[in-house]
Amino acid sequence: MKTISPFRTGAALAVAALLAQMTTAQNSLAGQQIAPGYAHPASHVKVARSQPAATTSPTGFTPDQIRQAYGFDQLSLDGTGQTIAIIDAFGDRYSTITTNTVTVHHKTKTTYTTNYFDATEGDWTTFCNQFGLATNGLTVAYPQGQGSVSTDWARETALDIQWAHAIAPRAKIMLVISYDNTMANLYGAVDYAVSNGANIVSMSWGRGEFSGEASDDAHFNHPGVTFLAASMDSGEISSGVFYPSASPYVVAVGGTQLTNYNGTWSETAWSGSGGGISLYETMPAFQSGWQQYTTGNMRSAPDVCYQGGPSPGVSVYVTPYYGGWIQVYGTSVGTPQWAALIALVNSGRASSLSSANSAIYSLAPTGTTPPSVDTGLLNDIISGSNGGDPDDFAIPGYDFVTGLGSPVASQLVPALTSW
């Protein structure tokens, strides 16, 4: 296990200074996460009472287990020729404090210097080596410069790049880091990714809906580019959903709890899966006819779902704060993996999907009214809920917790490739 030593032994004052800096930074970021105009990541670390957050070896789901559960192991496509952009804030970075004590004329003066380190490639390499993945294919861009550091966003960044790579091992991973978690700078990172050739963009973050959000949809309206966003982890909320998952130009990804009983995989809706009816986005054509509850002709989320629950989460290697293997859960888990699924699809097509949502919704129905989901293509989740209202439960067909369902990748990928 790689251990971070945040201060030099014996520097008691440095310890206090570092703790003060960390507390200030965390409080500042926490305030930003709930303030208007700021986004927060949709990932969490699972901490067991009997063990520390980080361990020296993986304890959560492994790539081989997830590939087998969803049928990716039956595919020959690997994402060759595709570029998945991962958009995050702050990055997989951390800081340390160096103390310098000088005595002049019997007076001692101590200064403290903050040093910043980027753990992205080291964490990526450790993950790849553990699971037999190639270590090439990753590029990292800071188009707005490097800002502060955040443990939450470091975890998010490591999760996103490692698991997109696990599902589409030959796709290029373009990690674009925003200077901070303001929506304006995150949009700038999205625009940078698209202008630099990304044809799939994964966004495992969001904020509550806001008046005028439809004008921001232009950032995601690029034919031939698929945008995906986490539906977030607050379960059912009293009004609205989260943005950018609410955008009709984005594939909104909800969460399930994946379980293996004696070699048989099953899923139930995860209670934290964000979902519901948008306050400001009208219903897109691809959702017409699917709704089993009144939406007032408004967009609903999520569109699809994927493993996101904590029992267990997925294995991620991250250095900042943790210094080892952690279990991560949340709708962030499925977002980069659905992005990887689209990369597999596009690698088998002559041209990229023009609208992944249109394709998925058009392939999903079996012809009944209301439409039922073709379970040969998607796992229709019919148990669990994210709240106590009738429309908070996973039901046959489309619902506000798991959308259309999770992928039967061995069949869905070929179907989307031919669409």
Side-chain angles (χ1 to χ4, degrees), residues 344-372:
L344 300 184
V345 170
N346 285 345
S347 68
R349 291 172 55 91
S351 60
S352 298
L353 284 172
S354 58
S355 172
N357 265 334
S358 295
I360 294 168
Y361 276 87
S362 68
L363 290 170
T366 60
T368 61
T369 303
S372 58

Side-chain angles (χ1 to χ4, degrees), residues 279-297:
L279 293 173
Y280 305 107
E281 304 277 3
T282 57
M283 182 186 294
F286 56 75
Q287 285 194 320
S288 178
W290 278 99
Q291 309 298 338
Q292 300 185 58
Y293 292 96
T294 301
T295 67
N297 199 40

Side-chain angles (χ1 to χ4, degrees), residues 284-344:
F286 56 75
Q287 285 194 320
S288 178
W290 278 99
Q291 309 298 338
Q292 300 185 58
Y293 292 96
T294 301
T295 67
N297 199 40
M298 304 302 284
R299 160 87 158 126
S300 59
D303 298 303
V304 293
C305 62
Y306 203 90
Q307 154 61 22
S311 304
V314 297
S315 299
V316 176
Y317 190 88
V318 57
T319 293
Y321 182 75
Y322 304 104
W325 290 97
I326 59 175
Q327 281 192 45
V328 180
Y329 67 99
T331 52
S332 286
V333 171
T335 306
Q337 294 187 68
W338 263 98
L341 182 149
I342 300 300
L344 300 184

Side-chain angles (χ1 to χ4, degrees), residues 2-151:
K2 185 175 182 180
T3 302
I4 299 302
S5 179
F7 48 84
R8 292 181 178 177
T9 302
L13 291 176
V15 175
L18 177 62
L19 291 175
Q21 179 201 39
M22 290 174 62
T23 300
T24 299
Q26 288 300 318
N27 289 342
S28 174
L29 289 175
Q32 288 180 358
Q33 289 170 358
I34 61 174
Y38 291 85
H40 61 94
S43 68
H44 316 270
V45 61
K46 180 182 178 181
V47 181
R49 294 179 181 178
S50 60
Q51 66 182 40
T55 55
T56 56
S57 58
T59 59
F61 282 130
T62 68
D64 280 349
Q65 288 175 313
I66 294 294
R67 284 195 292 258
Q68 198 258 343
Y70 288 113
F72 289 105
D73 60 342
Q74 300 176 45
L75 297 168
S76 60
L77 295 169
D78 55 15
T80 297
Q82 306 305 303
T83 299
I84 303 170
I86 304 293
I87 311 299
D88 282 309
F90 301 106
D92 185 6
R93 300 167 58 239
Y94 64 97
S95 63
T96 66
I97 288 182
T98 300
T99 62
N100 184 36
T101 302
V102 178
T103 302
V104 178
H105 300 301
H106 307 291
K107 294 183 178 181
T108 299
K109 180 180 180 180
T110 302
T111 60
Y112 305 97
T113 302
T114 302
N115 312 291
Y116 292 94
F117 300 92
D118 196 323
T120 309
E121 293 191 8
D123 290 351
W124 161 277
T125 299
T126 300
F127 182 88
C128 292
N129 288 340
Q130 174 70 37
F131 298 117
L133 299 165
T135 57
N136 61 334
L138 173 67
T139 60
V140 184
Y142 293 90
Q144 303 152 1
Q146 294 184 344
S148 186
V149 296
S150 163
T151 298

Side-chain angles (χ1 to χ4, degrees), residues 216-233:
D216 291 348
D217 288 343
H219 294 285
F220 317 117
N221 185 9
H222 295 275
V225 182
T226 297
F227 296 86
L228 306 99
S231 70
M232 305 303 289
D233 303 342

